[in-house]
Amino acid sequence: MPWHRKHLLTIEELSLAEIGQIHATAAAFKAILQRNEKKVPALRGKTIVNLFHEPSTRTRLAFEMAAKRLSADVISFDAASSSTQKGETLRDTAQNIQALNADMIVLRHGASGSPLYLSRLLDIPVVNAGDGAHEHPTQGLLDTFTMVEHLGSLRGRKVVILGDVLFSRVARSNIHALTKMGAAVTLVGPSTLVPAWFEDFGVTVSHDLKSALADAEVVMLLRIQHERQVSSHFPSLGEYTSVFGLNRTRAAWLNPRAIIMHPGPINRGVEIDSELADGPRSVILEQVSNGIAIRMAVLYLCAGGQPESVVSATE
Ligand code: CP
């Protein structure tokens, strides 16, 4: 099946086959990079603009690395030192970037739906690097890619997502990807951050950490998203940690071969203890590394590449 999407806006709109195409393309790029080929010519001559209106370390650097590995020129836009500070709108900013001959925009923005808005306005591809509490599709793709590397097929696998689900775009993208891939997803946390209506997404909601962690093969921790909460959703961070923080005792409730994941940035000692974040079951830095191959795949496909042409595009 040929790849036909110009934009990557959400995982919700992707089919299982399209998720598989992105994963397969990322695996091909990862294999090429592991042969010590730092650069391939797939996007030579293209200019990609990273338009980030919210802070980022991993996503922005991984998109930059991915674009450079594909031989594209990449420019990172810093909203704090741009004419956004003089009141320029997102629409005007994006249309000016297109007028400057950019070939693609990678957008991170606090407003849910902003990538869709730009995709309807511009002629060039738009890739969502996180929009409000809505979606973070490349994070969901790299997370599921990492899970598959460790577990094989995710069909029937028990995956626990623990923490601030309500405000998490990472959780939403993972929920869409994991349910399409057949995983059994359980969301855990206080009822204020994990409301029962999430069951409409085809997942289980639990507020009992011990029973939720029993036999889980993956536990994904989420940071408390203070920047999106307009009021307090629990009495204090200390109380959150005392009930829902992952520590050595609670990690023992997991399946013995379970992996521990976190999209970052980590609040050490809040949602996870350092000995687990840095321990042998943690795949947190593997997630970060896989972010390059996944973003290479997304940039390559949205620029018009085809999954089966990766090898010829890299010669
Ligand atoms: N996981 C993630 O999106 O991290 P950054 O905010 O640092 O990009």
Side-chain angles (χ1 to χ4, degrees), residues 12-305:
E12 185 176 14
E13 69 184 352
L14 298 181
S15 65
L16 176 61
E18 287 173 312
I19 293 170
Q21 283 181 300
I22 297 172
H23 282 172
T25 306
F29 279 125
K30 184 170 176 174
I32 288 165
L33 293 184
Q34 280 171 344
R35 290 202 299 268
N36 251 344
E37 292 174 45
K38 287 239 166 195
K39 270 194 165 191
V40 295
L43 295 190
R44 182 171 291 151
K46 303 276 187 200
T47 301
I48 297 170
V49 174
N50 284 336
L51 178 49
F52 275 56
H53 280 261
E54 283 191 331
S56 171
T57 297
R58 282 147 291 273
T59 311
R60 193 169 75 173
L61 289 177
F63 268 113
E64 281 187 24
M65 293 255 195
K68 287 182 177 174
R69 300 277 189 269
L70 293 165
S71 300
D73 294 315
V74 58
I75 300 170
S76 283
F77 168 97
D78 175 21
S81 59
S82 75
S83 289
T84 302
Q85 302 305 319
K86 303 176 203 163
E88 189 165 44
T89 62
L90 175 63
R91 175 194 180 118
D92 284 335
T93 304
Q95 285 181 323
N96 278 269
I97 290 170
Q98 181 172 263
L100 288 165
N101 251 343
D103 295 294
M104 193 181 297
I105 287 181
V106 177
L107 177 68
R108 171 169 286 195
H109 200 283
S112 297
S114 47
L116 174 65
Y117 170 69
L118 286 195
S119 74
R120 290 178 173 167
L121 198 68
L122 303 177
D123 299 322
I124 58 177
V126 176
V127 174
N128 182 1
D131 61 329
H134 177 221
E135 278 228 33
H136 192 348
T138 56
Q139 183 73 44
L141 288 162
L142 75 88
D143 290 338
T144 47
F145 182 85
T146 306
M147 289 180 215
V148 170
E149 283 191 327
H150 281 268
L151 304 174
S153 168
L154 300 186
R155 189 151 297 280
R157 303 288 194 181
K158 183 174 180 185
V159 178
V160 167
I161 302 178
L162 167 58
D164 180 358
V165 175
L166 184 62
F167 293 96
S168 175
R169 55 195 175 204
V170 174
R172 282 171 182 72
S173 286
N174 268 288
I175 289 167
H176 289 304
L178 288 165
T179 51
K180 285 172 204 256
M181 295 173 80
V185 181
T186 301
L187 310 179
V188 193
S191 56
T192 46
L193 294 177
V194 189
W197 53 258
F198 267 100
E199 295 204 334
D200 293 348
F201 286 82
V203 300
T204 302
V205 166
S206 170
H207 311 299
D208 176 355
L209 187 57
K210 186 168 189 175
S211 67
L213 289 185
D215 278 339
E217 291 172 274
V218 179
V219 60
M220 179 184 297
L221 287 309
L222 299 175
R223 182 176 65 86
I224 303 295
Q225 310 258 316
H226 296 290
E227 69 274 27
R228 300 195 206 288
Q229 297 182 10
V230 289
S231 60
S232 184
H233 285 67
F234 45 86
S236 69
L237 275 182
E239 285 185 60
Y240 175 86
T241 303
S242 70
V243 181
F244 291 106
L246 191 67
N247 55 28
R248 189 194 301 189
T249 306
R250 290 168 180 164
W253 299 335
L254 292 160
N255 182 301
R257 65 176 196 152
I259 54 172
I260 295 172
M261 306 183 75
H262 195 307
I266 301 172
N267 286 316
R268 289 172 181 268
V270 178
E271 67 268 10
I272 183 169
D273 279 359
S274 279
E275 68 170 314
L276 295 171
D278 303 328
R281 302 165 90 177
S282 168
V283 299
I284 294 170
L285 293 178
E286 286 177 43
Q287 292 171 257
V288 177
S289 300
N290 282 335
I292 300 174
I294 285 290
R295 277 128 188 166
M296 286 176 79
V298 167
L299 296 176
Y300 167 76
L301 293 171
C302 290

